[in-house]
Amino acid sequence: MSNSLERLAAVIESRKPEHGGDPETSYVARLFAKGDDAILKKIGEEAVETVMAAKDVRAGADPSKLLYETADLWFHSMVLLARFDLTPQQVIDELARREGVSGIEEKAARPQE
Ligand SMILES: N=c1c2ncn([C@@H]3O[C@H](COP(=O)(O)OP(=O)(O)OP(=O)(O)O)[C@@H](O)[C@H]3O)c2ncn1[C@@H]1O[C@H](COP(=O)(O)O)[C@@H](O)[C@H]1O
């Protein structure tokens, strides 16, 4: 995994209340203190902002706008993963597991409901 993702995951982990994260000085600690719904709300907001940025870029805006919003979305997704003691490495492992498996074939192979 990218070192910067690993470092960020470690910082996020250190902001949990059980590790002494201080909501007065840390944005991540504040999110953990507010609770799950606050984290989920941010994910929803950042997802919408990412979609809007993509539309702006399509209409001619600077593509860096999409990078900026995607970084916000990834960051908040990492906070959500940490909340449930999951790691970005596990997401990367899941993507690796899917490597070479066509999404169309995978969907067709699912058990019929
Ligand atoms: N990568 C980030 C990061 N990306 C975005 N943000 C914050 O996410 C917040 C939400 O962004 P918005 O644009 O939605 O701002 P907003 O509408 O004012 O936010 P809200 O009031 O709705 O929460 C802002 O306060 C951003 O500064 C981040 N805050 C922290 N990090 C990383 O997390 C580390 C730990 O941060 P602290 O816990 O604050 O020390 C930092 O060193 C960084 O590496």
Side-chain angles (χ1 to χ4, degrees):
M1 179 171 53
S2 145
N3 282 342
S4 59
L5 280 187
E6 247 170 41
R7 283 196 304 275
L8 178 55
V11 171
I12 289 171
E13 185 65 26
S14 76
R15 300 306 200 240
K16 288 183 174 178
E18 61 267 37
H19 297 132
D22 180 1
E24 289 296 318
T25 57
S26 156
Y27 173 77
V28 177
R30 197 170 295 177
L31 265 185
F32 282 135
K34 283 183 182 169
D36 297 351
D37 284 350
I39 301 172
L40 297 175
K41 184 165 173 271
K42 287 308 293 181
I43 300 267
E45 285 173 15
E46 301 302 348
V48 169
E49 283 170 19
T50 301
V51 170
M52 285 163 48
K55 286 176 178 261
D56 288 348
V57 171
R58 188 173 62 188
D62 187 332
S64 63
K65 190 169 180 180
L66 181 55
L67 288 179
Y68 187 85
E69 295 303 341
T70 302
D72 278 355
L73 180 59
W74 284 22
F75 164 68
H76 286 91
S77 298
M78 286 179 67
V79 175
L80 181 63
L81 288 174
R83 161 63 184 85
F84 293 103
D85 297 322
L86 297 166
T87 65
Q89 183 61 56
Q90 288 172 283
V91 177
I92 289 167
D93 290 346
E94 173 60 18
L95 291 173
R97 189 188 67 75
R98 297 178 189 180
E99 205 170 339
V101 180
S102 155
I104 292 171
E105 284 172 22
E106 183 276 329
K107 196 163 180 180
R110 284 182 198 169
Q112 298 300 315
E113 290 177 3

mmCIF file with all atom_site columns, all heavy atoms in Angstrom, residues 59-74:
data_model
loop_
_atom_site.group_PDB
_atom_site.id
_atom_site.type_symbol
_atom_site.label_atom_id
_atom_site.label_alt_id
_atom_site.label_comp_id
_atom_site.label_asym_id
_atom_site.label_entity_id
_atom_site.label_seq_id
_atom_site.pdbx_PDB_ins_code
_atom_site.Cartn_x
_atom_site.Cartn_y
_atom_site.Cartn_z
_atom_site.occupancy
_atom_site.B_iso_or_equiv
_atom_site.pdbx_formal_charge
_atom_site.auth_seq_id
_atom_site.auth_comp_id
_atom_site.auth_asym_id
_atom_site.auth_atom_id
_atom_site.pdbx_PDB_model_num
ATOM 1   N N   . ALA A 1 59 ? -17.756 20.338 -17.847 1.00 0.00 ? 59 ALA A N   1
ATOM 2   C CA  . ALA A 1 59 ? -18.193 21.607 -18.453 1.00 0.00 ? 59 ALA A CA  1
ATOM 3   C C   . ALA A 1 59 ? -17.033 22.589 -18.639 1.00 0.00 ? 59 ALA A C   1
ATOM 4   O O   . ALA A 1 59 ? -17.264 23.735 -19.013 1.00 0.00 ? 59 ALA A O   1
ATOM 5   C CB  . ALA A 1 59 ? -19.287 22.239 -17.592 1.00 0.00 ? 59 ALA A CB  1
ATOM 6   N N   . GLY A 1 60 ? -15.805 22.145 -18.327 1.00 0.00 ? 60 GLY A N   1
ATOM 7   C CA  . GLY A 1 60 ? -14.653 22.997 -18.620 1.00 0.00 ? 60 GLY A CA  1
ATOM 8   C C   . GLY A 1 60 ? -13.853 23.472 -17.423 1.00 0.00 ? 60 GLY A C   1
ATOM 9   O O   . GLY A 1 60 ? -12.849 24.163 -17.596 1.00 0.00 ? 60 GLY A O   1
ATOM 10  N N   . ALA A 1 61 ? -14.291 23.121 -16.207 1.00 0.00 ? 61 ALA A N   1
ATOM 11  C CA  . ALA A 1 61 ? -13.544 23.567 -15.023 1.00 0.00 ? 61 ALA A CA  1
ATOM 12  C C   . ALA A 1 61 ? -12.194 22.855 -14.935 1.00 0.00 ? 61 ALA A C   1
ATOM 13  O O   . ALA A 1 61 ? -11.979 21.819 -15.578 1.00 0.00 ? 61 ALA A O   1
ATOM 14  C CB  . ALA A 1 61 ? -14.365 23.301 -13.762 1.00 0.00 ? 61 ALA A CB  1
ATOM 15  N N   . ASP A 1 62 ? -11.325 23.411 -14.107 1.00 0.00 ? 62 ASP A N   1
ATOM 16  C CA  . ASP A 1 62 ? -9.993  22.832 -13.896 1.00 0.00 ? 62 ASP A CA  1
ATOM 17  C C   . ASP A 1 62 ? -10.139 21.419 -13.306 1.00 0.00 ? 62 ASP A C   1
ATOM 18  O O   . ASP A 1 62 ? -10.795 21.247 -12.269 1.00 0.00 ? 62 ASP A O   1
ATOM 19  C CB  . ASP A 1 62 ? -9.246  23.739 -12.900 1.00 0.00 ? 62 ASP A CB  1
ATOM 20  C CG  . ASP A 1 62 ? -7.793  23.324 -12.732 1.00 0.00 ? 62 ASP A CG  1
ATOM 21  O OD1 . ASP A 1 62 ? -7.482  22.136 -12.903 1.00 0.00 ? 62 ASP A OD1 1
ATOM 22  O OD2 . ASP A 1 62 ? -6.987  24.216 -12.411 1.00 0.00 ? 62 ASP A OD2 1
ATOM 23  N N   . PRO A 1 63 ? -9.518  20.399 -13.939 1.00 0.00 ? 63 PRO A N   1
ATOM 24  C CA  . PRO A 1 63 ? -9.651  19.024 -13.448 1.00 0.00 ? 63 PRO A CA  1
ATOM 25  C C   . PRO A 1 63 ? -9.155  18.827 -12.010 1.00 0.00 ? 63 PRO A C   1
ATOM 26  O O   . PRO A 1 63 ? -9.553  17.867 -11.341 1.00 0.00 ? 63 PRO A O   1
ATOM 27  C CB  . PRO A 1 63 ? -8.776  18.208 -14.417 1.00 0.00 ? 63 PRO A CB  1
ATOM 28  C CG  . PRO A 1 63 ? -8.681  19.038 -15.647 1.00 0.00 ? 63 PRO A CG  1
ATOM 29  C CD  . PRO A 1 63 ? -8.762  20.476 -15.196 1.00 0.00 ? 63 PRO A CD  1
ATOM 30  N N   . SER A 1 64 ? -8.311  19.740 -11.525 1.00 0.00 ? 64 SER A N   1
ATOM 31  C CA  . SER A 1 64 ? -7.822  19.583 -10.150 1.00 0.00 ? 64 SER A CA  1
ATOM 32  C C   . SER A 1 64 ? -8.968  19.645 -9.140  1.00 0.00 ? 64 SER A C   1
ATOM 33  O O   . SER A 1 64 ? -8.870  19.129 -8.028  1.00 0.00 ? 64 SER A O   1
ATOM 34  C CB  . SER A 1 64 ? -6.767  20.644 -9.825  1.00 0.00 ? 64 SER A CB  1
ATOM 35  O OG  . SER A 1 64 ? -7.347  21.920 -9.903  1.00 0.00 ? 64 SER A OG  1
ATOM 36  N N   . LYS A 1 65 ? -10.064 20.274 -9.543  1.00 0.00 ? 65 LYS A N   1
ATOM 37  C CA  . LYS A 1 65 ? -11.244 20.334 -8.670  1.00 0.00 ? 65 LYS A CA  1
ATOM 38  C C   . LYS A 1 65 ? -11.734 18.920 -8.328  1.00 0.00 ? 65 LYS A C   1
ATOM 39  O O   . LYS A 1 65 ? -12.146 18.624 -7.206  1.00 0.00 ? 65 LYS A O   1
ATOM 40  C CB  . LYS A 1 65 ? -12.341 21.113 -9.411  1.00 0.00 ? 65 LYS A CB  1
ATOM 41  C CG  . LYS A 1 65 ? -13.518 21.479 -8.578  1.00 0.00 ? 65 LYS A CG  1
ATOM 42  C CD  . LYS A 1 65 ? -14.426 22.463 -9.293  1.00 0.00 ? 65 LYS A CD  1
ATOM 43  C CE  . LYS A 1 65 ? -15.603 22.807 -8.400  1.00 0.00 ? 65 LYS A CE  1
ATOM 44  N NZ  . LYS A 1 65 ? -16.518 23.742 -9.004  1.00 0.00 ? 65 LYS A NZ  1
ATOM 45  N N   . LEU A 1 66 ? -11.680 18.026 -9.323  1.00 0.00 ? 66 LEU A N   1
ATOM 46  C CA  . LEU A 1 66 ? -12.113 16.645 -9.110  1.00 0.00 ? 66 LEU A CA  1
ATOM 47  C C   . LEU A 1 66 ? -11.137 15.905 -8.196  1.00 0.00 ? 66 LEU A C   1
ATOM 48  O O   . LEU A 1 66 ? -11.544 15.109 -7.342  1.00 0.00 ? 66 LEU A O   1
ATOM 49  C CB  . LEU A 1 66 ? -12.260 15.923 -10.453 1.00 0.00 ? 66 LEU A CB  1
ATOM 50  C CG  . LEU A 1 66 ? -12.736 14.475 -10.409 1.00 0.00 ? 66 LEU A CG  1
ATOM 51  C CD1 . LEU A 1 66 ? -14.060 14.330 -9.656  1.00 0.00 ? 66 LEU A CD1 1
ATOM 52  C CD2 . LEU A 1 66 ? -12.881 13.925 -11.826 1.00 0.00 ? 66 LEU A CD2 1
ATOM 53  N N   . LEU A 1 67 ? -9.839  16.191 -8.352  1.00 0.00 ? 67 LEU A N   1
ATOM 54  C CA  . LEU A 1 67 ? -8.844  15.578 -7.464  1.00 0.00 ? 67 LEU A CA  1
ATOM 55  C C   . LEU A 1 67 ? -9.110  15.984 -6.016  1.00 0.00 ? 67 LEU A C   1
ATOM 56  O O   . LEU A 1 67 ? -9.063  15.163 -5.097  1.00 0.00 ? 67 LEU A O   1
ATOM 57  C CB  . LEU A 1 67 ? -7.431  16.042 -7.839  1.00 0.00 ? 67 LEU A CB  1
ATOM 58  C CG  . LEU A 1 67 ? -6.821  15.495 -9.115  1.00 0.00 ? 67 LEU A CG  1
ATOM 59  C CD1 . LEU A 1 67 ? -5.439  16.097 -9.320  1.00 0.00 ? 67 LEU A CD1 1
ATOM 60  C CD2 . LEU A 1 67 ? -6.739  13.978 -9.045  1.00 0.00 ? 67 LEU A CD2 1
ATOM 61  N N   . TYR A 1 68 ? -9.383  17.252 -5.812  1.00 0.00 ? 68 TYR A N   1
ATOM 62  C CA  . TYR A 1 68 ? -9.587  17.808 -4.480  1.00 0.00 ? 68 TYR A CA  1
ATOM 63  C C   . TYR A 1 68 ? -10.795 17.139 -3.798  1.00 0.00 ? 68 TYR A C   1
ATOM 64  O O   . TYR A 1 68 ? -10.725 16.713 -2.647  1.00 0.00 ? 68 TYR A O   1
ATOM 65  C CB  . TYR A 1 68 ? -9.792  19.317 -4.637  1.00 0.00 ? 68 TYR A CB  1
ATOM 66  C CG  . TYR A 1 68 ? -9.864  20.077 -3.354  1.00 0.00 ? 68 TYR A CG  1
ATOM 67  C CD1 . TYR A 1 68 ? -8.718  20.513 -2.716  1.00 0.00 ? 68 TYR A CD1 1
ATOM 68  C CD2 . TYR A 1 68 ? -11.100 20.380 -2.777  1.00 0.00 ? 68 TYR A CD2 1
ATOM 69  C CE1 . TYR A 1 68 ? -8.791  21.223 -1.527  1.00 0.00 ? 68 TYR A CE1 1
ATOM 70  C CE2 . TYR A 1 68 ? -11.177 21.088 -1.589  1.00 0.00 ? 68 TYR A CE2 1
ATOM 71  C CZ  . TYR A 1 68 ? -10.023 21.509 -0.968  1.00 0.00 ? 68 TYR A CZ  1
ATOM 72  O OH  . TYR A 1 68 ? -10.100 22.205 0.209   1.00 0.00 ? 68 TYR A OH  1
ATOM 73  N N   . GLU A 1 69 ? -11.885 17.033 -4.541  1.00 0.00 ? 69 GLU A N   1
ATOM 74  C CA  . GLU A 1 69 ? -13.101 16.437 -3.955  1.00 0.00 ? 69 GLU A CA  1
ATOM 75  C C   . GLU A 1 69 ? -12.930 14.935 -3.739  1.00 0.00 ? 69 GLU A C   1
ATOM 76  O O   . GLU A 1 69 ? -13.441 14.376 -2.756  1.00 0.00 ? 69 GLU A O   1
ATOM 77  C CB  . GLU A 1 69 ? -14.316 16.712 -4.843  1.00 0.00 ? 69 GLU A CB  1
ATOM 78  C CG  . GLU A 1 69 ? -14.705 18.182 -4.952  1.00 0.00 ? 69 GLU A CG  1
ATOM 79  C CD  . GLU A 1 69 ? -14.995 18.855 -3.608  1.00 0.00 ? 69 GLU A CD  1
ATOM 80  O OE1 . GLU A 1 69 ? -15.259 18.150 -2.616  1.00 0.00 ? 69 GLU A OE1 1
ATOM 81  O OE2 . GLU A 1 69 ? -14.948 20.095 -3.560  1.00 0.00 ? 69 GLU A OE2 1
ATOM 82  N N   . THR A 1 70 ? -12.201 14.272 -4.657  1.00 0.00 ? 70 THR A N   1
ATOM 83  C CA  . THR A 1 70 ? -11.965 12.832 -4.480  1.00 0.00 ? 70 THR A CA  1
ATOM 84  C C   . THR A 1 70 ? -11.097 12.596 -3.242  1.00 0.00 ? 70 THR A C   1
ATOM 85  O O   . THR A 1 70 ? -11.329 11.636 -2.485  1.00 0.00 ? 70 THR A O   1
ATOM 86  C CB  . THR A 1 70 ? -11.305 12.234 -5.741  1.00 0.00 ? 70 THR A CB  1
ATOM 87  O OG1 . THR A 1 70 ? -12.150 12.482 -6.871  1.00 0.00 ? 70 THR A OG1 1
ATOM 88  C CG2 . THR A 1 70 ? -11.100 10.737 -5.595  1.00 0.00 ? 70 THR A CG2 1
ATOM 89  N N   . ALA A 1 71 ? -10.123 13.461 -3.015  1.00 0.00 ? 71 ALA A N   1
ATOM 90  C CA  . ALA A 1 71 ? -9.287  13.333 -1.811  1.00 0.00 ? 71 ALA A CA  1
ATOM 91  C C   . ALA A 1 71 ? -10.155 13.461 -0.558  1.00 0.00 ? 71 ALA A C   1
ATOM 92  O O   . ALA A 1 71 ? -9.988  12.699 0.413   1.00 0.00 ? 71 ALA A O   1
ATOM 93  C CB  . ALA A 1 71 ? -8.174  14.377 -1.821  1.00 0.00 ? 71 ALA A CB  1
ATOM 94  N N   . ASP A 1 72 ? -11.083 14.414 -0.561  1.00 0.00 ? 72 ASP A N   1
ATOM 95  C CA  . ASP A 1 72 ? -11.999 14.561 0.591   1.00 0.00 ? 72 ASP A CA  1
ATOM 96  C C   . ASP A 1 72 ? -12.814 13.279 0.800   1.00 0.00 ? 72 ASP A C   1
ATOM 97  O O   . ASP A 1 72 ? -13.010 12.825 1.933   1.00 0.00 ? 72 ASP A O   1
ATOM 98  C CB  . ASP A 1 72 ? -12.979 15.719 0.353   1.00 0.00 ? 72 ASP A CB  1
ATOM 99  C CG  . ASP A 1 72 ? -12.363 17.072 0.685   1.00 0.00 ? 72 ASP A CG  1
ATOM 100 O OD1 . ASP A 1 72 ? -11.221 17.113 1.179   1.00 0.00 ? 72 ASP A OD1 1
ATOM 101 O OD2 . ASP A 1 72 ? -13.044 18.087 0.443   1.00 0.00 ? 72 ASP A OD2 1
ATOM 102 N N   . LEU A 1 73 ? -13.298 12.710 -0.323  1.00 0.00 ? 73 LEU A N   1
ATOM 103 C CA  . LEU A 1 73 ? -14.123 11.490 -0.231  1.00 0.00 ? 73 LEU A CA  1
ATOM 104 C C   . LEU A 1 73 ? -13.293 10.317 0.277   1.00 0.00 ? 73 LEU A C   1
ATOM 105 O O   . LEU A 1 73 ? -13.737 9.570  1.174   1.00 0.00 ? 73 LEU A O   1
ATOM 106 C CB  . LEU A 1 73 ? -14.727 11.178 -1.607  1.00 0.00 ? 73 LEU A CB  1
ATOM 107 C CG  . LEU A 1 73 ? -15.614 9.940  -1.684  1.00 0.00 ? 73 LEU A CG  1
ATOM 108 C CD1 . LEU A 1 73 ? -16.803 10.041 -0.723  1.00 0.00 ? 73 LEU A CD1 1
ATOM 109 C CD2 . LEU A 1 73 ? -16.115 9.749  -3.123  1.00 0.00 ? 73 LEU A CD2 1
ATOM 110 N N   . TRP A 1 74 ? -12.089 10.144 -0.245  1.00 0.00 ? 74 TRP A N   1
ATOM 111 C CA  . TRP A 1 74 ? -11.222 9.044  0.217   1.00 0.00 ? 74 TRP A CA  1
ATOM 112 C C   . TRP A 1 74 ? -10.894 9.215  1.697   1.00 0.00 ? 74 TRP A C   1
ATOM 113 O O   . TRP A 1 74 ? -10.921 8.255  2.460   1.00 0.00 ? 74 TRP A O   1
ATOM 114 C CB  . TRP A 1 74 ? -9.928  9.006  -0.590  1.00 0.00 ? 74 TRP A CB  1
ATOM 115 C CG  . TRP A 1 74 ? -10.073 8.438  -1.966  1.00 0.00 ? 74 TRP A CG  1
ATOM 116 C CD1 . TRP A 1 74 ? -11.212 8.350  -2.716  1.00 0.00 ? 74 TRP A CD1 1
ATOM 117 C CD2 . TRP A 1 74 ? -9.028  7.886  -2.778  1.00 0.00 ? 74 TRP A CD2 1
ATOM 118 N NE1 . TRP A 1 74 ? -10.929 7.793  -3.937  1.00 0.00 ? 74 TRP A NE1 1
ATOM 119 C CE2 . TRP A 1 74 ? -9.607  7.499  -4.004  1.00 0.00 ? 74 TRP A CE2 1
ATOM 120 C CE3 . TRP A 1 74 ? -7.664  7.706  -2.592  1.00 0.00 ? 74 TRP A CE3 1
ATOM 121 C CZ2 . TRP A 1 74 ? -8.857  6.921  -5.038  1.00 0.00 ? 74 TRP A CZ2 1
ATOM 122 C CZ3 . TRP A 1 74 ? -6.920  7.140  -3.609  1.00 0.00 ? 74 TRP A CZ3 1
ATOM 123 C CH2 . TRP A 1 74 ? -7.510  6.742  -4.813  1.00 0.00 ? 74 TRP A CH2 1
#
